[in-house]
Every structure is written in structure tokens, then in C-alpha cells.
Amino acid sequence: MNVYEKLKELNLEIPAAPPKGGVYSPCQEFGDNLVYISGCGPAIGGEKVAGKLGKDFTTEEGKTFSRDAMLNVLAVLQDKIGDLNKVKKGVKILTFVASAEDFYEQPAVANGGSELLAALFGQECVPARSAIGVNVLPGNIPVETEAIFEIEK
């Protein structure tokens, strides 16, 4: 089954790629078949979200933000490679979680993005991952995710 059929089964779709928030490239190819996607937040369709996990949002809400950030990552990747069915596997993701001082569930929040990748590409293609708690993220967003994917050429 292809990625787009799986998205439909999950009642999800790839949004428009988010606009750049500064002077950087949203996507860079390197090596023979690797693509790095700059950090993406959870805003989809202009809907803003702001605050910290453990203060303004629950872990479950954070998982949704992480999933939405990954949808934005995939939107940038799709713009670059044209078809998400060219993804061989995720290599690495890094999820930043804006956290209250006593919030320690960053890995559970990051699961939202990891679970989406597992559902779309298979458990065997789930990337290595880090989940980092930070004091603040740009625009006061609660979650930001960056990723590296291996693609078919």
C-alpha cells in the first residue's frame, strides 16, 4: 500500500509545506540519497498553537503536536522529492519540546511523530530519535521536529 493510501486510512493528509521562518533552506539533499528537513512546528493551515508542555498542554496534546510537526516535515520532503513513496526509511529525527520545568515526558510527546512514521512506512523504517526538553521555541510553539530521510533515487 502506498503512503497516500495509508494517510487516507488514518484520516490525515499532507498539508501545504509551512513557510520559512528565517534565512535557511527548509530542505537539503546530501550524500547519494539522504535528505535533511529543517525544524518544523505543529501549525497546519495557519492554525497557531503556543505554550509549553506540562504547563499549558498535556502529554497527549503534545503527541498530537508532534504528529502535526511530522506532517509538516513530510510536506517539506514531498515538495523536495515529489512523491513520499520514494522514502526508503527515516534515518534520524530530533524533537524539541518546550517544557515546563517539571515536565519530563519529552519522549512520550515525540512518539506522536514516530508513530506516524511507523504507520506510514513500517515499524522497520522508524528512525533513530532524540527528544529534548527546551525552555522556549520560536513563536512559543510547543514542539519542533527536524528529520533525515533516506530516499530512492
Side-chain angles (χ1 to χ4, degrees), residues 18 24 30 43 53 61 68 78 93 102 127 136 152:
Y24 64 92
F30 63 102
L53 276 291
E61 289 171 311
D68 290 350
Q78 178 177 261
I93 59 176
D102 60 349
V136 66
E152 294 177 5

Side-chain angles (χ1 to χ4, degrees), residues 18 37-42 69-70 72-73 76 141 143-146:
I37 308 298
S38 295
C40 292
M70 187 59 70
N72 280 326
V73 164
V76 172
I141 60 175
V143 175
E144 182 176 354
T145 298
E146 61 181 44

Side-chain angles (χ1 to χ4, degrees), residues 107-122:
V109 169
N111 281 343
S114 297
E115 289 168 359
L116 176 62
L117 293 180
L120 296 179
F121 302 107

Side-chain angles (χ1 to χ4, degrees), residues 17-130:
K20 288 185 359 176
V23 181
Y24 64 92
S25 175
C27 184
Q28 284 289 333
E29 291 186 64
F30 63 102
D32 290 335
N33 59 347
L34 296 173
V35 180
Y36 167 76
I37 308 298
S38 295
C40 292
I44 292 179
E47 186 175 315
K48 303 279 186 210
V49 60
K52 292 185 179 189
L53 276 291
K55 177 182 174 194
D56 305 303
F57 303 110
T58 66
T59 301
E60 282 304 310
E61 289 171 311
K63 283 182 71 173
T64 300
F65 299 145
S66 179
R67 181 206 63 201
D68 290 350
M70 187 59 70
L71 284 169
N72 280 326
V73 164
L74 292 172
V76 172
L77 181 60
Q78 178 177 261
D79 276 3
K80 183 69 173 181
I81 67 172
D83 182 357
L84 292 177
N85 289 304
K86 293 180 183 177
V87 172
K88 288 176 76 173
K89 67 180 175 181
V91 175
K92 170 77 166 108
I93 59 176
L94 173 57
T95 300
F96 299 95
V97 181
S99 304
E101 190 174 304
D102 60 349
F103 183 80
Y104 306 108
E105 297 187 27
Q106 292 83 6
V109 169
N111 281 343
S114 297
E115 289 168 359
L116 176 62
L117 293 180
L120 296 179
F121 302 107
Q123 187 65 38
E124 66 281 359
C125 295
V126 172
R129 181 187 84 186
S130 298

Side-chain angles (χ1 to χ4, degrees), residues 10-23:
L10 296 170
N11 202 27
L12 296 170
E13 60 184 44
I14 300 298
K20 288 185 359 176
V23 181

